[in-house]
Amino acid sequence: MSIESQRRRMQIVLTKDREAMGHWVATHAAEDLRCSISQSGRANLLVATGASQFEVLASLVAQPEIDWSRVHAFHLDEYVGLSGEHPASFCRYLRERFVSKVPLASFLYLNGERDPQAMIAEASRSISEGTIDVALVGVGENGHLAFNDPPADFATEQPYLIVELDEACRRQQVGEGWFTSLDQVPKRAMSMSVRQIMKSRKIYCSVPDERKAAAIAAMLVGDITPELPASILRNHQHAVLIIDEAAAIRLDESELAKVQRIP
């Protein structure tokens, strides 16, 4: 890969803790949504799940002066075969923490109980009708982006795809408390593709906690590679990586000198 393609483009923001991260992301994402609505009469929002998004979504639903009736939201990923009532269901997570709290124009759920091929075909058609204005994403302990585990497919133009989850990803779900044992974690999921995520106009990637520190260090200083899917965000001109102090502990002084620190 050329030196030019390796040049970092994304902004890096360092916050004190998870609460400060959630507030910063929500405040800036809300302003982007208001601008999109003002300019085009609507806004398209991509919403992630997981522990990294708790404070982000809690702060976002409390933001003032967003005309949610003009916001169309899309689901990033979901397990294949998991009931929408299961405690680990991302549909349930989003319904309880986001969709039920704001009067959205629409929300596209990835229904884990539907035929996965039919579900991703429908979702792909829907997402292809417009462009995501604001994407809220995170990074896995193995460097995954959405459920695109390493080695991720950087080439496919398919908006959504069915992916195989690696063991590291599945162990993270147990470690976060979504499942009680590894054999309960589904082995397949529906996920937005890497290229589709990269088509978003603005990307906010929130990554708190020390357990993500190794992935963050590798993401910032290593190659841009499918073996570390989130590294591709360095090539997005309007991506912002937001980390807290715990997630930044493996960055050296030269890397820390490049970040924007938020009190």
Side-chain angles (χ1 to χ4, degrees):
M1 189 168 289
S2 70
I3 293 176
E4 178 64 26
S5 65
Q6 293 275 27
R7 184 173 299 162
R8 183 181 301 159
R9 298 173 182 172
M10 71 177 179
Q11 175 187 1
I12 307 171
V13 170
L14 176 61
T15 65
K16 178 181 179 181
D17 52 28
R18 299 175 62 105
E19 287 72 24
M21 172 184 293
H23 176 73
W24 192 94
V25 173
T27 299
H28 287 77
E31 180 59 27
D32 292 334
L33 292 173
R34 287 190 287 264
C35 286
S36 294
I37 293 168
S38 176
Q39 292 171 4
S40 61
R42 63 176 287 165
N44 293 330
L45 172 67
L46 178 63
V47 191
T49 57
S52 67
Q53 303 300 310
F54 288 154
E55 292 80 8
V56 173
L57 293 180
S59 186
L60 183 60
V61 300
Q63 292 296 310
E65 300 178 358
I66 299 175
D67 186 352
W68 290 106
S69 69
R70 295 182 179 273
V71 177
H72 299 262
F74 296 83
H75 191 166
L76 185 66
D77 49 18
E78 178 60 285
Y79 299 103
V80 169
L82 201 67
S83 164
E85 297 306 315
H86 190 285
S89 165
F90 294 157
C91 288
R92 177 176 177 171
Y93 176 115
L94 290 169
R95 183 175 68 248
E96 293 179 349
R97 291 178 170 84
F98 181 60
V99 182
S100 66
K101 296 182 180 297
V102 290
L104 293 165
S106 67
F107 189 87
L108 175 68
Y109 283 107
L110 297 175
N111 186 337
E113 295 183 283
R114 284 188 54 185
D115 173 78
Q117 292 291 354
M119 184 69 254
I120 66 169
E122 178 183 318
S124 293
R125 286 193 299 271
S126 182
I127 200 75
S128 297
E129 293 175 357
T131 301
I132 295 296
D133 297 297
V134 178
L136 305 177
V137 302
V139 173
E141 293 175 25
N142 65 351
H144 71 208
L145 184 62
F147 262 147
N148 297 289
D149 282 336
D153 188 340
F154 278 8
T156 183
E157 293 286 352
Q158 187 176 347
Y160 284 94
L161 61 162
I162 298 172
V163 295
E164 300 293 326
L165 302 180
D166 71 13
E167 185 171 317
C169 171
R170 295 171 63 232
R171 287 192 180 281
Q172 177 182 330
Q173 312 311 314
V174 177
E176 291 184 357
W178 303 109
F179 299 91
T180 58
S181 64
L182 185 63
D183 60 4
Q184 292 182 350
V185 186
K187 295 183 178 181
R188 295 195 305 158
M190 297 173 283
S191 177
M192 183 174 284
S193 68
V194 171
R195 278 187 176 264
Q196 184 64 41
I197 294 169
M198 290 291 285
K199 291 178 182 179
S200 305
R201 291 192 173 99
K202 189 69 174 280
I203 301 176
Y204 292 98
C205 181
S206 306
V207 191
D209 302 335
E210 184 176 345
R211 59 193 173 84
K212 304 285 186 72
I216 291 302
M219 172 186 173
L220 294 180
V221 303
D223 291 338
I224 295 174
T225 169
E227 296 299 330
L228 195 71
S231 64
I232 194 69
L233 293 177
R234 284 161 46 195
N235 276 345
H236 195 289
Q237 293 185 356
H238 301 290
V240 186
L241 173 67
I242 310 93
I243 55 178
D244 66 0
E245 291 182 356
I249 61 169
R250 295 203 182 189
L251 299 183
D252 62 27
E253 290 302 318
S254 64
E255 289 298 311
L256 289 172
K258 302 171 187 176
V259 308
Q260 176 186 353
R261 294 177 181 267
I262 304 299

